[in-house]
Amino acid sequence: MKATRMATALLSVVLAGSTLAACGNDDKEAASTSSPGASAGTASAAPPPVTLKGMLFGDEPKDFKLVLEEFEKRTKDTLNIKLDIQWNPINDHKQKVKLMMAAGETVDFVFDAEFQNLKDLVPQGAYAQLDKYFNNDAYPGLKKAFSKEFVDMNKRYDDHLYTIPFTQYFYDIPVIFIRKDLREKLGFTKPISSYDELQQFYEKVLATEKGMTPLALKGVSGYQDILNPDRPDLPTLQSVSAAGGPYIVHLTDDLKQIKNIVIPGDPESEWAKLPAPYNSMKSYFVQYDKWAEWSKYLEKDVLSQKDHGAYFMSGKAASYYGVLSGYATEKKKLQNTIQGADLEFFVFRERMRNMEPKAIPTNYKANNSIAIPASSKNIDRTMKFFDWLFQSRENHDLFEYGIQGKHWEPVGDNQLKLLDDSKNYNFPGYEFSWNPNMIRLPADLDETAKKYFEYSAKADTYYAGVLSRFVFDPTNVKGEVANITSKTDPFTQTLKAGQMKDWETELLKLAKEQDGLGREKVRAEVKKQVQAYLDANVK
């Protein structure tokens, strides 16, 4: 097998601990006393005052205004910027951004991502290209934080980047957070270490803790990857995300040609062409039966659950789905909320749990990012702010952790201790400030968690499949994608919530509906784009 040309560069980047990046567009900023290339921290005179308007999601931290006041005080003679951020409810953010962009409202930066509007708005020209601000000595903060390799890996299909991507690790290990005190109360003397033990724990919760839900999930997301099998890496079998998918792409041994593409709901004769043990729809999606079987451990009305974390923190659930990066914050929150309660986590993916090498597939892309609307008149000033943010730990930590001495204090070079006022400043860094070069771990973090964070930072933990950088462009089949997605999304939500026992029959019915909406046209477009990608990248 021949490797893709990006592999060596990627691994060297991981070892260096660098970040991800974004790209460039013609500047639409209003006149400023500093030149477009001048660094925000080195301008000879402060530019005119400007207020940058942004849109993030979630609840505004209680002390966020204090942080903004401190920021303005520090930068009045350099940036001379004020921030005006609209905080949208989590479930409304996607639609609000779409409506705002359609109406041409004035905004200078928005949180966007593939799971939001990014894949639709970029082809429409709604977001500015940001290439010129990166790998540029005039923007030292961005150059230090976002290496050229990461800029390249986060480019879109047109070889440009449209975002400032945020990540701490290449993959945030998914976990099930468990009430440690409850686990011990129910007679489980050791931490949960397998699905069998987890199921035993859930059965005991059902039997003894009346009114308590064993596992809390967010309705729109469901199980996500809980109970998914740990598949061995088969280079010839790749998965592509597109409407009605996943699209399972079967490649020749040299990875240069497509043999066939199979979609859920295809006849078994098509699945039989795939290599064992994935040569039937049921064997490929073994988790679907498990999701239905485990539905008894969920809320009866799980589909309407919008905040499973809050549900857990209220004492109504024994466990809930989360990610490792949230462990320290969630542990402290639980201890402050329920007297005597404590938190631990179960890494439910076996190979990750065992910290095996090459256990995590990745495309080295960030899941979360900021985009700059092309209509903004303050593109330069916005990018000067983010350059300032990443110029130093001091700048970065002000937004990510709050005011030093009030919300937190540093411990060594890369740890921190949260102070009492930290409960008033829980900032969503994944929306605004995450960066691998500027991670601080809680000083009191237990050794098990530290080992998993160290595992997450190792280059050898990851591998990139041949289609890792491929992103499907729906432009040529927009109508078909919209129609198919309108049918697929509610089906998938119900499936992931364990509410569909006879999923095979239902999936075949859905496939017939999709056939009438242009599924074969989308499959042909996927095939065309994947083959073009292989022709360009596999030598």
Side-chain angles (χ1 to χ4, degrees):
M1 183 193 79
K2 296 186 179 181
T4 60
R5 61 187 180 188
M6 65 190 90
T8 303
L10 286 173
L11 292 181
S12 67
V13 172
V14 184
L15 292 169
S18 305
T19 311
L20 299 99
C23 318
N25 188 39
D26 292 337
D27 182 25
K28 296 191 177 183
E29 183 183 349
S32 167
T33 56
S34 60
S35 65
S39 169
T42 59
S44 58
V50 67
T51 297
L52 302 178
K53 295 184 178 181
M55 294 179 74
L56 302 180
F57 67 81
D59 296 325
E60 177 180 323
K62 290 182 180 178
D63 284 352
F64 187 55
K65 286 181 174 60
L66 298 180
V67 168
L68 289 182
E69 289 172 6
E70 178 65 22
F71 159 70
E72 291 166 15
K73 183 172 71 174
R74 291 185 191 180
T75 61
K76 181 172 178 53
D77 297 329
T78 53
L79 293 178
N80 206 9
I81 285 171
K82 292 181 182 291
L83 298 180
D84 178 10
I85 297 178
Q86 173 182 324
W87 296 82
N88 297 321
I90 293 174
N91 295 312
D92 296 343
H93 181 75
K94 180 176 180 179
Q95 187 65 17
K96 282 182 176 290
V97 169
K98 189 183 297 184
L99 292 174
M100 175 273 300
M101 296 296 287
E105 295 179 26
T106 300
V107 70
D108 299 301
F109 61 88
V110 301
F111 174 87
D112 209 341
E114 290 296 324
F115 62 89
Q116 294 276 312
N117 295 302
L118 201 64
K119 62 181 179 296
D120 297 320
L121 292 181
V122 168
Q124 295 173 18
Y127 291 141
Q129 294 175 10
L130 304 176
D131 306 71
K132 70 180 181 182
Y133 299 102
F134 294 86
N135 197 34
N136 182 344
D137 290 334
Y139 292 85
L142 297 176
K143 183 174 182 178
K144 178 174 67 173
F146 300 90
S147 73
K148 181 181 183 302
E149 289 84 359
F150 278 105
V151 171
D152 290 343
M153 284 308 296
N154 278 271
K155 287 181 178 179
R156 297 187 67 79
Y157 56 87
D158 63 353
D159 213 29
H160 286 292
L161 292 175
Y162 296 83
T163 59
I164 305 170
F166 303 125
T167 190
Q168 288 186 316
Y169 302 95
F170 290 114
Y171 187 77
D172 204 350
I173 293 178
V175 299
I176 294 177
F177 288 125
I178 296 172
R179 282 275 299 272
K180 177 183 177 183
D181 57 300
L182 183 60
R183 187 258 301 164
E184 292 173 340
K185 171 190 170 184
L186 296 181
F188 295 84
T189 58
K190 295 180 180 179
I192 303 298
S193 61
S194 69
Y195 273 127
D196 286 342
E197 291 178 7
L198 184 65
Q199 190 167 20
Q200 291 170 23
F201 171 64
Y202 285 165
E203 289 290 340
K204 197 71 175 286
V205 170
L206 283 180
T208 64
E209 305 298 310
K210 300 304 180 185
M212 178 174 279
T213 300
L215 174 62
L217 299 177
K218 187 176 179 180
V220 71
S221 305
Y223 285 105
Q224 299 186 73
D225 51 354
I226 296 174
L227 295 166
N228 284 9
D230 265 331
R231 307 183 192 279
D233 177 32
L234 286 182
T236 59
L237 211 58
Q238 301 288 315
S239 178
V240 169
S241 178
Y247 286 65
I248 313 305
V249 181
H250 188 196
L251 302 174
T252 54
D253 289 343
D254 61 6
L255 308 183
K256 291 184 178 181
Q257 299 292 324
I258 298 172
K259 294 175 78 170
N260 59 305
I261 296 180
V262 184
I263 316 174
D266 276 352
E268 278 302 308
S269 57
E270 293 301 306
W271 287 93
K273 297 175 183 177
L274 300 183
Y278 309 120
N279 49 350
S280 73
M281 189 165 66
K282 199 170 184 68
S283 64
Y284 194 93
F285 298 113
V286 293
Q287 68 270 32
Y288 291 177
D289 285 328
K290 281 288 186 182
W291 289 350
E293 177 190 336
W294 281 44
S295 63
K296 61 181 177 178
Y297 304 133
L298 311 180
E299 291 177 77
K300 289 183 179 178
D301 193 20
V302 63
L303 286 170
S304 66
Q305 179 56 256
K306 295 181 179 179
D307 192 342
H308 64 305
Y311 183 77
F312 172 84
M313 291 296 169
S314 70
K316 296 178 181 177
S319 69
Y320 75 111
Y321 178 97
V323 287
L324 185 63
S325 64
Y327 174 56
T329 301
E330 298 301 281
K331 182 182 179 79
K332 188 174 182 66
K333 187 189 297 183
L334 178 66
Q335 292 171 337
N336 291 336
T337 302
I338 302 177
Q339 186 175 6
D342 201 1
L343 194 71
E344 62 188 6
F345 61 88
F346 167 57
V347 178
F348 54 81
R349 301 300 295 268
E350 184 177 10
R351 296 187 64 203
M352 296 178 203
R353 184 166 65 248
N354 297 334
M355 291 185 270
E356 297 178 21
K358 300 290 185 291
I360 304 177
T362 184
N363 57 12
Y364 298 92
K365 293 179 183 290
N367 289 328
N368 306 296
S369 59
I370 285 288
I372 315 295
S375 58
S376 169
K377 292 180 169 54
N378 301 305
I379 297 177
D380 261 4
R381 297 292 288 274
T382 301
M383 295 309 294
K384 285 173 186 175
F385 165 75
F386 282 102
D387 180 66
W388 174 89
L389 185 70
F390 293 110
Q391 278 184 17
S392 69
R393 270 193 178 274
E394 182 183 15
N395 296 351
H396 168 269
D397 292 349
L398 172 64
F399 277 86
E400 183 137 330
Y401 305 117
I403 298 170
Q404 185 175 329
K406 178 178 176 62
H407 300 112
W408 68 285
E409 61 184 30
V411 177
D413 293 331
N414 57 5
Q415 297 184 70
L416 83 163
K417 177 184 178 182
L418 297 176
L419 304 179
D420 289 342
D421 279 352
S422 65
K423 63 180 178 294
N424 294 325
Y425 193 75
N426 185 15
F427 187 75
Y430 55 87
E431 293 187 56
F432 199 78
S433 57
W434 268 8
N435 189 280
N437 295 318
M438 297 181 177
I439 297 171
R440 287 187 184 272
L441 293 177
D444 59 354
L445 192 66
D446 62 69
E447 290 304 312
T448 299
K450 285 181 180 177
K451 287 179 181 177
Y452 278 110
F453 279 118
E454 291 168 0
Y455 171 71
S456 298
K458 291 180 180 178
D460 192 49
T461 297
Y462 303 92
Y463 69 92
V466 66
L467 296 181
S468 61
R469 245 193 90 187
F470 175 80
V471 178
F472 177 63
D473 174 13
T475 303
N476 294 335
V477 285
K478 282 193 296 188
E480 289 80 6
V481 166
N483 291 333
I484 290 171
T485 300
S486 69
K487 296 287 186 182
T488 304
D489 283 358
F491 176 90
T492 301
Q493 185 178 352
T494 303
L495 179 68
K496 284 190 171 185
Q499 307 297 300
M500 195 175 292
K501 292 188 177 180
D502 190 10
W503 60 269
E504 287 178 280
T505 300
E506 296 301 320
L507 196 49
L508 290 171
K509 287 181 186 176
L510 178 65
K512 286 184 178 179
E513 288 186 63
Q514 292 172 342
D515 284 340
L517 298 173
R519 188 169 80 142
E520 289 310 312
K521 187 175 178 181
V522 177
R523 191 198 312 248
E525 184 65 21
V526 170
K527 184 174 183 179
K528 183 178 99 175
Q529 291 185 28
V530 169
Q531 190 58 61
Y533 177 90
L534 294 173
D535 293 343
N537 290 279
V538 181
K539 306 302 179 183

